[in-house]
PDB file of all heavy atoms in Angstrom:
ATOM      1  N   ALA A   1      45.496 166.174  34.995  1.00  0.00           N
ATOM      2  CA  ALA A   1      44.610 166.837  35.992  1.00  0.00           C
ATOM      3  C   ALA A   1      43.902 165.912  36.836  1.00  0.00           C
ATOM      4  O   ALA A   1      43.730 166.273  38.023  1.00  0.00           O
ATOM      5  CB  ALA A   1      43.631 167.732  35.106  1.00  0.00           C
ATOM      6  N   VAL A   2      43.431 164.795  36.291  1.00  0.00           N
ATOM      7  CA  VAL A   2      42.832 163.772  37.131  1.00  0.00           C
ATOM      8  C   VAL A   2      43.794 163.262  38.227  1.00  0.00           C
ATOM      9  O   VAL A   2      43.548 163.051  39.371  1.00  0.00           O
ATOM     10  CB  VAL A   2      42.214 162.725  36.328  1.00  0.00           C
ATOM     11  CG1 VAL A   2      41.771 161.514  37.183  1.00  0.00           C
ATOM     12  CG2 VAL A   2      41.026 163.152  35.506  1.00  0.00           C
ATOM     13  N   VAL A   3      45.072 162.965  37.821  1.00  0.00           N
ATOM     14  CA  VAL A   3      46.116 162.544  38.738  1.00  0.00           C
ATOM     15  C   VAL A   3      46.214 163.486  39.835  1.00  0.00           C
ATOM     16  O   VAL A   3      46.312 163.202  41.043  1.00  0.00           O
ATOM     17  CB  VAL A   3      47.346 162.219  38.008  1.00  0.00           C
ATOM     18  CG1 VAL A   3      48.461 162.091  39.045  1.00  0.00           C
ATOM     19  CG2 VAL A   3      47.268 161.110  37.003  1.00  0.00           C
ATOM     20  N   TRP A   4      46.267 164.792  39.525  1.00  0.00           N
ATOM     21  CA  TRP A   4      46.436 165.845  40.496  1.00  0.00           C
ATOM     22  C   TRP A   4      45.143 165.912  41.444  1.00  0.00           C
ATOM     23  O   TRP A   4      45.182 166.023  42.556  1.00  0.00           O
ATOM     24  CB  TRP A   4      46.657 167.181  39.884  1.00  0.00           C
ATOM     25  CG  TRP A   4      47.274 168.167  40.855  1.00  0.00           C
ATOM     26  CD1 TRP A   4      47.154 168.179  42.222  1.00  0.00           C
ATOM     27  CD2 TRP A   4      48.031 169.344  40.522  1.00  0.00           C
ATOM     28  NE1 TRP A   4      47.840 169.300  42.816  1.00  0.00           N
ATOM     29  CE2 TRP A   4      48.241 169.943  41.727  1.00  0.00           C
ATOM     30  CE3 TRP A   4      48.395 169.883  39.314  1.00  0.00           C
ATOM     31  CZ2 TRP A   4      49.053 171.269  41.790  1.00  0.00           C
ATOM     32  CZ3 TRP A   4      49.165 171.111  39.369  1.00  0.00           C
ATOM     33  CH2 TRP A   4      49.420 171.729  40.548  1.00  0.00           C
ATOM     34  N   GLY A   5      44.000 165.755  40.818  1.00  0.00           N
ATOM     35  CA  GLY A   5      42.703 165.588  41.571  1.00  0.00           C
ATOM     36  C   GLY A   5      42.773 164.466  42.600  1.00  0.00           C
ATOM     37  O   GLY A   5      42.290 164.664  43.726  1.00  0.00           O
ATOM     38  N   ILE A   6      43.325 163.412  42.132  1.00  0.00           N
ATOM     39  CA  ILE A   6      43.451 162.223  43.208  1.00  0.00           C
ATOM     40  C   ILE A   6      44.386 162.717  44.270  1.00  0.00           C
ATOM     41  O   ILE A   6      44.221 162.442  45.505  1.00  0.00           O
ATOM     42  CB  ILE A   6      44.069 161.024  42.438  1.00  0.00           C
ATOM     43  CG1 ILE A   6      42.943 160.435  41.501  1.00  0.00           C
ATOM     44  CG2 ILE A   6      44.380 159.932  43.401  1.00  0.00           C
ATOM     45  CD1 ILE A   6      43.449 159.400  40.472  1.00  0.00           C
ATOM     46  N   GLY A   7      45.509 163.456  44.026  1.00  0.00           N
ATOM     47  CA  GLY A   7      46.404 163.931  44.940  1.00  0.00           C
ATOM     48  C   GLY A   7      45.699 164.864  45.999  1.00  0.00           C
ATOM     49  O   GLY A   7      45.894 164.811  47.142  1.00  0.00           O
ATOM     50  N   MET A   8      44.868 165.793  45.349  1.00  0.00           N
ATOM     51  CA  MET A   8      44.111 166.725  46.231  1.00  0.00           C
ATOM     52  C   MET A   8      43.185 166.041  47.163  1.00  0.00           C
ATOM     53  O   MET A   8      43.092 166.359  48.363  1.00  0.00           O
ATOM     54  CB  MET A   8      43.302 167.666  45.310  1.00  0.00           C
ATOM     55  CG  MET A   8      44.214 168.690  44.651  1.00  0.00           C
ATOM     56  SD  MET A   8      43.091 170.039  43.773  1.00  0.00           S
ATOM     57  CE  MET A   8      42.298 170.830  45.212  1.00  0.00           C
ATOM     58  N   ALA A   9      42.552 164.935  46.614  1.00  0.00           N
ATOM     59  CA  ALA A   9      41.575 164.174  47.356  1.00  0.00           C
ATOM     60  C   ALA A   9      42.123 163.488  48.457  1.00  0.00           C
ATOM     61  O   ALA A   9      41.609 163.267  49.648  1.00  0.00           O
ATOM     62  CB  ALA A   9      40.755 163.270  46.412  1.00  0.00           C
ATOM     63  N   LEU A  10      43.368 162.871  48.335  1.00  0.00           N
ATOM     64  CA  LEU A  10      43.848 161.856  49.182  1.00  0.00           C
ATOM     65  C   LEU A  10      45.181 162.060  49.734  1.00  0.00           C
ATOM     66  O   LEU A  10      45.559 161.548  50.758  1.00  0.00           O
ATOM     67  CB  LEU A  10      43.892 160.478  48.430  1.00  0.00           C
ATOM     68  CG  LEU A  10      42.685 160.036  47.838  1.00  0.00           C
ATOM     69  CD1 LEU A  10      42.787 158.628  47.124  1.00  0.00           C
ATOM     70  CD2 LEU A  10      41.615 159.691  48.849  1.00  0.00           C
ATOM     71  N   GLU A  11      46.106 162.923  49.156  1.00  0.00           N
ATOM     72  CA  GLU A  11      47.464 162.964  49.647  1.00  0.00           C
ATOM     73  C   GLU A  11      48.021 164.371  49.880  1.00  0.00           C
ATOM     74  O   GLU A  11      48.719 164.634  50.802  1.00  0.00           O
ATOM     75  CB  GLU A  11      48.213 162.245  48.517  1.00  0.00           C
ATOM     76  CG  GLU A  11      47.950 160.754  48.339  1.00  0.00           C
ATOM     77  CD  GLU A  11      48.777 160.047  47.249  1.00  0.00           C
ATOM     78  OE1 GLU A  11      50.059 160.319  47.334  1.00  0.00           O
ATOM     79  OE2 GLU A  11      48.250 159.423  46.471  1.00  0.00           O
ATOM     80  N   GLU A  12      47.850 165.310  48.934  1.00  0.00           N
ATOM     81  CA  GLU A  12      48.665 166.620  48.994  1.00  0.00           C
ATOM     82  C   GLU A  12      48.256 167.438  50.091  1.00  0.00           C
ATOM     83  O   GLU A  12      47.064 167.870  50.248  1.00  0.00           O
ATOM     84  CB  GLU A  12      48.544 167.270  47.661  1.00  0.00           C
ATOM     85  CG  GLU A  12      49.154 166.578  46.562  1.00  0.00           C
ATOM     86  CD  GLU A  12      49.441 167.421  45.304  1.00  0.00           C
ATOM     87  OE1 GLU A  12      50.101 168.580  45.603  1.00  0.00           O
ATOM     88  OE2 GLU A  12      49.157 167.007  44.181  1.00  0.00           O
ATOM     89  N   GLU A  13      49.281 167.801  51.025  1.00  0.00           N
ATOM     90  CA  GLU A  13      48.967 168.620  52.118  1.00  0.00           C
ATOM     91  C   GLU A  13      50.339 169.214  52.676  1.00  0.00           C
ATOM     92  O   GLU A  13      51.184 168.494  53.108  1.00  0.00           O
ATOM     93  CB  GLU A  13      48.341 167.909  53.175  1.00  0.00           C
ATOM     94  CG  GLU A  13      47.965 168.663  54.454  1.00  0.00           C
ATOM     95  CD  GLU A  13      47.300 167.719  55.489  1.00  0.00           C
ATOM     96  OE1 GLU A  13      47.251 166.549  55.217  1.00  0.00           O
ATOM     97  OE2 GLU A  13      46.673 168.281  56.493  1.00  0.00           O
ATOM     98  N   SER A  14      50.464 170.570  52.643  1.00  0.00           N
ATOM     99  CA  SER A  14      51.660 171.186  53.203  1.00  0.00           C
ATOM    100  C   SER A  14      51.415 171.509  54.703  1.00  0.00           C
ATOM    101  O   SER A  14      50.476 172.257  54.944  1.00  0.00           O
ATOM    102  CB  SER A  14      52.041 172.439  52.459  1.00  0.00           C
ATOM    103  OG  SER A  14      52.282 172.225  51.070  1.00  0.00           O
ATOM    104  N   MET A  15      52.064 170.730  55.436  1.00  0.00           N
ATOM    105  CA  MET A  15      51.782 170.855  56.951  1.00  0.00           C
ATOM    106  C   MET A  15      52.662 171.930  57.639  1.00  0.00           C
ATOM    107  O   MET A  15      53.851 171.978  57.402  1.00  0.00           O
ATOM    108  CB  MET A  15      51.950 169.486  57.552  1.00  0.00           C
ATOM    109  CG  MET A  15      51.079 168.377  57.088  1.00  0.00           C
ATOM    110  SD  MET A  15      51.424 166.839  57.808  1.00  0.00           S
ATOM    111  CE  MET A  15      50.281 165.798  57.004  1.00  0.00           C
ATOM    112  N   THR A  16      51.980 172.679  58.468  1.00  0.00           N
ATOM    113  CA  THR A  16      52.664 173.759  59.192  1.00  0.00           C
ATOM    114  C   THR A  16      52.901 173.464  60.587  1.00  0.00           C
ATOM    115  O   THR A  16      51.890 173.083  61.279  1.00  0.00           O
ATOM    116  CB  THR A  16      51.886 175.133  58.945  1.00  0.00           C
ATOM    117  OG1 THR A  16      51.738 175.435  57.647  1.00  0.00           O
ATOM    118  CG2 THR A  16      52.654 176.271  59.676  1.00  0.00           C
ATOM    119  N   ASP A  17      54.124 173.601  61.157  1.00  0.00           N
ATOM    120  CA  ASP A  17      54.303 173.662  62.476  1.00  0.00           C
ATOM    121  C   ASP A  17      54.011 175.063  63.091  1.00  0.00           C
ATOM    122  O   ASP A  17      54.769 176.020  62.734  1.00  0.00           O
ATOM    123  CB  ASP A  17      55.790 173.253  62.793  1.00  0.00           C
ATOM    124  CG  ASP A  17      56.069 173.230  64.220  1.00  0.00           C
ATOM    125  OD1 ASP A  17      55.394 173.823  65.037  1.00  0.00           O
ATOM    126  OD2 ASP A  17      57.020 172.388  64.578  1.00  0.00           O
ATOM    127  N   GLN A  18      52.924 175.171  63.645  1.00  0.00           N
ATOM    128  CA  GLN A  18      52.431 176.457  64.095  1.00  0.00           C
ATOM    129  C   GLN A  18      53.311 177.186  65.115  1.00  0.00           C
ATOM    130  O   GLN A  18      53.382 178.379  65.116  1.00  0.00           O
ATOM    131  CB  GLN A  18      50.939 176.433  64.679  1.00  0.00           C
ATOM    132  CG  GLN A  18      49.938 175.854  63.775  1.00  0.00           C
ATOM    133  CD  GLN A  18      49.684 176.525  62.522  1.00  0.00           C
ATOM    134  OE1 GLN A  18      50.175 177.625  62.236  1.00  0.00           O
ATOM    135  NE2 GLN A  18      48.775 175.975  61.563  1.00  0.00           N
ATOM    136  N   ARG A  19      54.081 176.391  65.855  1.00  0.00           N
ATOM    137  CA  ARG A  19      55.004 177.039  66.756  1.00  0.00           C
ATOM    138  C   ARG A  19      56.131 177.728  66.023  1.00  0.00           C
ATOM    139  O   ARG A  19      56.655 178.795  66.536  1.00  0.00           O
ATOM    140  CB  ARG A  19      55.651 175.895  67.699  1.00  0.00           C
ATOM    141  CG  ARG A  19      54.620 175.136  68.633  1.00  0.00           C
ATOM    142  CD  ARG A  19      55.276 173.940  69.066  1.00  0.00           C
ATOM    143  NE  ARG A  19      55.801 173.103  68.122  1.00  0.00           N
ATOM    144  CZ  ARG A  19      56.664 172.019  68.310  1.00  0.00           C
ATOM    145  NH1 ARG A  19      56.989 171.858  69.591  1.00  0.00           N
ATOM    146  NH2 ARG A  19      57.052 171.235  67.318  1.00  0.00           N
ATOM    147  N   LEU A  20      56.526 177.193  64.904  1.00  0.00           N
ATOM    148  CA  LEU A  20      57.678 177.858  64.115  1.00  0.00           C
ATOM    149  C   LEU A  20      57.012 178.596  62.902  1.00  0.00           C
ATOM    150  O   LEU A  20      57.868 179.336  62.354  1.00  0.00           O
ATOM    151  CB  LEU A  20      58.582 176.680  63.558  1.00  0.00           C
ATOM    152  CG  LEU A  20      59.148 175.780  64.648  1.00  0.00           C
ATOM    153  CD1 LEU A  20      60.047 174.766  63.970  1.00  0.00           C
ATOM    154  CD2 LEU A  20      60.047 176.659  65.691  1.00  0.00           C
ATOM    155  N   GLY A  21      55.921 178.427  62.537  1.00  0.00           N
ATOM    156  CA  GLY A  21      55.382 179.117  61.461  1.00  0.00           C
ATOM    157  C   GLY A  21      55.940 178.596  60.123  1.00  0.00           C
ATOM    158  O   GLY A  21      56.222 179.424  59.236  1.00  0.00           O
ATOM    159  N   ARG A  22      56.272 177.384  60.121  1.00  0.00           N
ATOM    160  CA  ARG A  22      57.147 176.847  58.995  1.00  0.00           C
ATOM    161  C   ARG A  22      56.549 175.564  58.451  1.00  0.00           C
ATOM    162  O   ARG A  22      55.975 174.709  59.161  1.00  0.00           O
ATOM    163  CB  ARG A  22      58.476 176.571  59.576  1.00  0.00           C
ATOM    164  CG  ARG A  22      59.702 176.130  58.600  1.00  0.00           C
ATOM    165  CD  ARG A  22      60.943 175.883  59.416  1.00  0.00           C
ATOM    166  NE  ARG A  22      62.103 175.806  58.548  1.00  0.00           N
ATOM    167  CZ  ARG A  22      62.905 176.702  58.290  1.00  0.00           C
ATOM    168  NH1 ARG A  22      62.642 178.069  58.589  1.00  0.00           N
ATOM    169  NH2 ARG A  22      63.953 176.639  57.424  1.00  0.00           N
ATOM    170  N   PHE A  23      56.633 175.369  57.202  1.00  0.00           N
ATOM    171  CA  PHE A  23      56.182 174.161  56.531  1.00  0.00           C
ATOM    172  C   PHE A  23      57.186 173.069  56.928  1.00  0.00           C
ATOM    173  O   PHE A  23      58.434 173.172  56.749  1.00  0.00           O
ATOM    174  CB  PHE A  23      56.108 174.314  54.942  1.00  0.00           C
ATOM    175  CG  PHE A  23      55.039 175.268  54.541  1.00  0.00           C
ATOM    176  CD1 PHE A  23      55.359 176.370  53.787  1.00  0.00           C
ATOM    177  CD2 PHE A  23      53.650 175.025  54.829  1.00  0.00           C
ATOM    178  CE1 PHE A  23      54.451 177.309  53.327  1.00  0.00           C
ATOM    179  CE2 PHE A  23      52.717 175.886  54.416  1.00  0.00           C
ATOM    180  CZ  PHE A  23      53.076 176.983  53.665  1.00  0.00           C
ATOM    181  N   MET A  24      56.694 171.928  57.375  1.00  0.00           N
ATOM    182  CA  MET A  24      57.466 170.841  57.826  1.00  0.00           C
ATOM    183  C   MET A  24      57.869 169.837  56.695  1.00  0.00           C
ATOM    184  O   MET A  24      58.962 169.405  56.694  1.00  0.00           O
ATOM    185  CB  MET A  24      56.748 170.039  59.008  1.00  0.00           C
ATOM    186  CG  MET A  24      56.420 170.969  60.174  1.00  0.00           C
ATOM    187  SD  MET A  24      55.628 170.009  61.392  1.00  0.00           S
ATOM    188  CE  MET A  24      54.094 169.646  60.661  1.00  0.00           C
ATOM    189  N   ASN A  25      56.909 169.547  55.875  1.00  0.00           N
ATOM    190  CA  ASN A  25      57.160 168.630  54.850  1.00  0.00           C
ATOM    191  C   ASN A  25      57.621 169.153  53.531  1.00  0.00           C
ATOM    192  O   ASN A  25      56.957 168.894  52.571  1.00  0.00           O
ATOM    193  CB  ASN A  25      55.929 167.601  54.717  1.00  0.00           C
ATOM    194  CG  ASN A  25      54.615 168.308  54.394  1.00  0.00           C
ATOM    195  OD1 ASN A  25      54.493 169.518  54.699  1.00  0.00           O
ATOM    196  ND2 ASN A  25      53.861 167.803  53.694  1.00  0.00           N
ATOM    197  N   HIS A  26      58.691 169.769  53.475  1.00  0.00           N
ATOM    198  CA  HIS A  26      59.088 170.615  52.275  1.00  0.00           C
ATOM    199  C   HIS A  26      60.009 169.664  51.387  1.00  0.00           C
ATOM    200  O   HIS A  26      61.159 170.245  50.998  1.00  0.00           O
ATOM    201  CB  HIS A  26      59.632 171.924  52.587  1.00  0.00           C
ATOM    202  CG  HIS A  26      60.685 171.978  53.790  1.00  0.00           C
ATOM    203  ND1 HIS A  26      61.746 171.057  53.762  1.00  0.00           N
ATOM    204  CD2 HIS A  26      60.865 172.741  54.726  1.00  0.00           C
ATOM    205  CE1 HIS A  26      62.455 171.271  54.709  1.00  0.00           C
ATOM    206  NE2 HIS A  26      61.983 172.430  55.369  1.00  0.00           N
ATOM    207  N   ASP A  27      59.750 168.438  51.142  1.00  0.00           N
ATOM    208  CA  ASP A  27      60.478 167.601  50.209  1.00  0.00           C
ATOM    209  C   ASP A  27      59.535 166.497  49.733  1.00  0.00           C
ATOM    210  O   ASP A  27      58.475 166.361  50.192  1.00  0.00           O
ATOM    211  CB  ASP A  27      61.745 167.035  50.937  1.00  0.00           C
ATOM    212  CG  ASP A  27      61.390 166.307  52.163  1.00  0.00           C
ATOM    213  OD1 ASP A  27      60.604 165.510  52.138  1.00  0.00           O
ATOM    214  OD2 ASP A  27      62.187 166.537  53.190  1.00  0.00           O
ATOM    215  N   PHE A  28      60.114 165.747  48.750  1.00  0.00           N
ATOM    216  CA  PHE A  28      59.163 164.648  48.180  1.00  0.00           C
ATOM    217  C   PHE A  28      59.266 163.529  49.097  1.00  0.00           C
ATOM    218  O   PHE A  28      58.491 162.603  48.785  1.00  0.00           O
ATOM    219  CB  PHE A  28      59.687 164.376  46.744  1.00  0.00           C
ATOM    220  CG  PHE A  28      59.194 165.209  45.725  1.00  0.00           C
ATOM    221  CD1 PHE A  28      59.877 165.225  44.448  1.00  0.00           C
ATOM    222  CD2 PHE A  28      58.169 166.081  45.956  1.00  0.00           C
ATOM    223  CE1 PHE A  28      59.320 166.210  43.395  1.00  0.00           C
ATOM    224  CE2 PHE A  28      57.692 166.969  44.909  1.00  0.00           C
ATOM    225  CZ  PHE A  28      58.364 166.956  43.674  1.00  0.00           C
ATOM    226  N   ALA A  29      59.961 163.401  50.091  1.00  0.00           N
ATOM    227  CA  ALA A  29      59.945 162.231  50.972  1.00  0.00           C
ATOM    228  C   ALA A  29      58.677 162.419  51.877  1.00  0.00           C
ATOM    229  O   ALA A  29      58.064 161.382  52.225  1.00  0.00           O
ATOM    230  CB  ALA A  29      61.200 162.227  51.915  1.00  0.00           C
ATOM    231  N   GLU A  30      58.296 163.613  52.172  1.00  0.00           N
ATOM    232  CA  GLU A  30      57.206 163.881  53.154  1.00  0.00           C
ATOM    233  C   GLU A  30      55.934 164.542  52.505  1.00  0.00           C
ATOM    234  O   GLU A  30      54.925 164.419  53.076  1.00  0.00           O
ATOM    235  CB  GLU A  30      57.680 164.690  54.326  1.00  0.00           C
ATOM    236  CG  GLU A  30      58.817 164.102  55.117  1.00  0.00           C
ATOM    237  CD  GLU A  30      58.400 162.729  55.763  1.00  0.00           C
ATOM    238  OE1 GLU A  30      57.181 162.539  56.005  1.00  0.00           O
ATOM    239  OE2 GLU A  30      59.199 161.895  55.995  1.00  0.00           O
ATOM    240  N   TYR A  31      56.225 165.387  51.397  1.00  0.00           N
ATOM    241  CA  TYR A  31      55.101 165.849  50.660  1.00  0.00           C
ATOM    242  C   TYR A  31      54.619 164.820  49.711  1.00  0.00           C
ATOM    243  O   TYR A  31      55.143 164.501  48.746  1.00  0.00           O
ATOM    244  CB  TYR A  31      55.538 167.140  49.896  1.00  0.00           C
ATOM    245  CG  TYR A  31      54.345 167.964  49.325  1.00  0.00           C
ATOM    246  CD1 TYR A  31      53.593 168.891  50.022  1.00  0.00           C
ATOM    247  CD2 TYR A  31      53.975 167.587  48.017  1.00  0.00           C
ATOM    248  CE1 TYR A  31      52.515 169.432  49.408  1.00  0.00           C
ATOM    249  CE2 TYR A  31      52.809 168.207  47.364  1.00  0.00           C
ATOM    250  CZ  TYR A  31      52.140 169.212  48.104  1.00  0.00           C
ATOM    251  OH  TYR A  31      51.160 169.853  47.421  1.00  0.00           O
ATOM    252  N   HIS A  32      53.390 164.250  50.024  1.00  0.00           N
ATOM    253  CA  HIS A  32      52.970 163.155  49.216  1.00  0.00           C
ATOM    254  C   HIS A  32      52.176 163.562  48.037  1.00  0.00           C
ATOM    255  O   HIS A  32      51.296 164.276  48.082  1.00  0.00           O
ATOM    256  CB  HIS A  32      51.960 162.248  50.209  1.00  0.00           C
ATOM    257  CG  HIS A  32      52.804 161.693  51.353  1.00  0.00           C
ATOM    258  ND1 HIS A  32      52.162 161.191  52.519  1.00  0.00           N
ATOM    259  CD2 HIS A  32      54.055 161.561  51.662  1.00  0.00           C
ATOM    260  CE1 HIS A  32      53.013 160.743  53.362  1.00  0.00           C
ATOM    261  NE2 HIS A  32      54.315 160.983  52.854  1.00  0.00           N
ATOM    262  N   ILE A  33      52.622 162.905  46.979  1.00  0.00           N
ATOM    263  CA  ILE A  33      51.934 163.092  45.687  1.00  0.00           C
ATOM    264  C   ILE A  33      51.630 161.643  45.036  1.00  0.00           C
ATOM    265  O   ILE A  33      52.371 160.706  45.357  1.00  0.00           O
ATOM    266  CB  ILE A  33      52.759 163.814  44.676  1.00  0.00           C
ATOM    267  CG1 ILE A  33      54.054 163.225  44.464  1.00  0.00           C
ATOM    268  CG2 ILE A  33      52.993 165.345  45.236  1.00  0.00           C
ATOM    269  CD1 ILE A  33      54.972 163.907  43.357  1.00  0.00           C
ATOM    270  N   PRO A  34      50.606 161.571  44.142  1.00  0.00           N
ATOM    271  CA  PRO A  34      50.357 160.211  43.546  1.00  0.00           C
ATOM    272  C   PRO A  34      51.609 159.739  42.762  1.00  0.00           C
ATOM    273  O   PRO A  34      52.270 160.533  42.089  1.00  0.00           O
ATOM    274  CB  PRO A  34      49.113 160.585  42.603  1.00  0.00           C
ATOM    275  CG  PRO A  34      48.539 161.868  43.105  1.00  0.00           C
ATOM    276  CD  PRO A  34      49.673 162.604  43.783  1.00  0.00           C
ATOM    277  N   VAL A  35      51.800 158.437  42.831  1.00  0.00           N
ATOM    278  CA  VAL A  35      52.814 157.740  42.008  1.00  0.00           C
ATOM    279  C   VAL A  35      52.158 156.735  41.224  1.00  0.00           C
ATOM    280  O   VAL A  35      50.981 156.548  41.285  1.00  0.00           O
ATOM    281  CB  VAL A  35      53.922 157.021  43.030  1.00  0.00           C
ATOM    282  CG1 VAL A  35      54.639 158.173  43.812  1.00  0.00           C
ATOM    283  CG2 VAL A  35      53.208 156.144  43.955  1.00  0.00           C
ATOM    284  N   ASN A  36      52.958 156.134  40.432  1.00  0.00           N
ATOM    285  CA  ASN A  36      52.367 155.109  39.520  1.00  0.00           C
ATOM    286  C   ASN A  36      51.386 154.021  40.164  1.00  0.00           C
ATOM    287  O   ASN A  36      50.254 153.726  39.619  1.00  0.00           O
ATOM    288  CB  ASN A  36      53.431 154.301  38.739  1.00  0.00           C
ATOM    289  CG  ASN A  36      54.077 155.241  37.738  1.00  0.00           C
ATOM    290  OD1 ASN A  36      53.707 156.338  37.437  1.00  0.00           O
ATOM    291  ND2 ASN A  36      55.176 154.660  37.225  1.00  0.00           N
ATOM    292  N   ALA A  37      51.674 153.565  41.209  1.00  0.00           N
ATOM    293  CA  ALA A  37      50.866 152.551  42.054  1.00  0.00           C
ATOM    294  C   ALA A  37      49.526 153.093  42.420  1.00  0.00           C
ATOM    295  O   ALA A  37      48.561 152.394  42.665  1.00  0.00           O
ATOM    296  CB  ALA A  37      51.693 152.017  43.157  1.00  0.00           C
ATOM    297  N   ASP A  38      49.505 154.483  42.536  1.00  0.00           N
ATOM    298  CA  ASP A  38      48.211 155.098  42.834  1.00  0.00           C
ATOM    299  C   ASP A  38      47.258 155.245  41.748  1.00  0.00           C
ATOM    300  O   ASP A  38      45.967 155.529  41.975  1.00  0.00           O
ATOM    301  CB  ASP A  38      48.371 156.424  43.525  1.00  0.00           C
ATOM    302  CG  ASP A  38      49.246 156.364  44.790  1.00  0.00           C
ATOM    303  OD1 ASP A  38      49.001 155.544  45.672  1.00  0.00           O
ATOM    304  OD2 ASP A  38      50.198 157.158  44.911  1.00  0.00           O
ATOM    305  N   ILE A  39      47.576 155.192  40.486  1.00  0.00           N
ATOM    306  CA  ILE A  39      46.834 155.457  39.374  1.00  0.00           C
ATOM    307  C   ILE A  39      46.519 154.213  38.629  1.00  0.00           C
ATOM    308  O   ILE A  39      47.321 153.488  38.208  1.00  0.00           O
ATOM    309  CB  ILE A  39      47.626 156.420  38.469  1.00  0.00           C
ATOM    310  CG1 ILE A  39      48.083 157.724  39.290  1.00  0.00           C
ATOM    311  CG2 ILE A  39      46.717 156.959  37.322  1.00  0.00           C
ATOM    312  CD1 ILE A  39      47.012 158.435  39.919  1.00  0.00           C
ATOM    313  N   GLN A  40      45.229 154.072  38.336  1.00  0.00           N
ATOM    314  CA  GLN A  40      44.828 152.932  37.632  1.00  0.00           C
ATOM    315  C   GLN A  40      44.026 153.397  36.317  1.00  0.00           C
ATOM    316  O   GLN A  40      44.658 154.177  35.437  1.00  0.00           O
ATOM    317  CB  GLN A  40      43.895 152.035  38.419  1.00  0.00           C
ATOM    318  CG  GLN A  40      44.695 151.350  39.603  1.00  0.00           C
ATOM    319  CD  GLN A  40      44.068 150.252  40.322  1.00  0.00           C
ATOM    320  OE1 GLN A  40      43.189 149.601  39.741  1.00  0.00           O
ATOM    321  NE2 GLN A  40      44.477 150.022  41.543  1.00  0.00           N
ATOM    322  N   ASP A  41      42.813 153.095  36.051  1.00  0.00           N
ATOM    323  CA  ASP A  41      42.187 153.328  34.807  1.00  0.00           C
ATOM    324  C   ASP A  41      41.566 154.706  34.946  1.00  0.00           C
ATOM    325  O   ASP A  41      40.650 155.005  35.786  1.00  0.00           O
ATOM    326  CB  ASP A  41      41.152 152.313  34.576  1.00  0.00           C
ATOM    327  CG  ASP A  41      40.358 152.411  33.190  1.00  0.00           C
ATOM    328  OD1 ASP A  41      41.047 152.719  32.297  1.00  0.00           O
ATOM    329  OD2 ASP A  41      39.063 152.327  33.221  1.00  0.00           O
TER     330      ASP A  41
END
């Protein structure tokens, strides 16, 4: 849950192209989530 909280605070965001009404970053390449290097103590 803390890892996800870090993601909420700093990374996770589904971005919408308002012209298309469509989520643009619908994959793990562009939808950013915390990885090992983001998590410390």
Side-chain angles (χ1 to χ4, degrees):
V2 170
V3 170
W4 198 336
I6 293 171
M8 287 188 68
L10 303 177
E11 300 181 45
E12 291 199 48
E13 181 178 14
S14 299
M15 299 180 180
T16 302
D17 184 330
Q18 305 296 355
R19 298 168 303 169
L20 302 175
R22 190 182 188 90
F23 294 117
M24 300 181 290
N25 55 331
H26 48 43
D27 55 48
F28 277 164
E30 300 297 336
Y31 184 89
H32 297 162
I33 59 174
V35 296
N36 287 352
D38 297 316
I39 308 304
Q40 297 193 26
D41 184 41

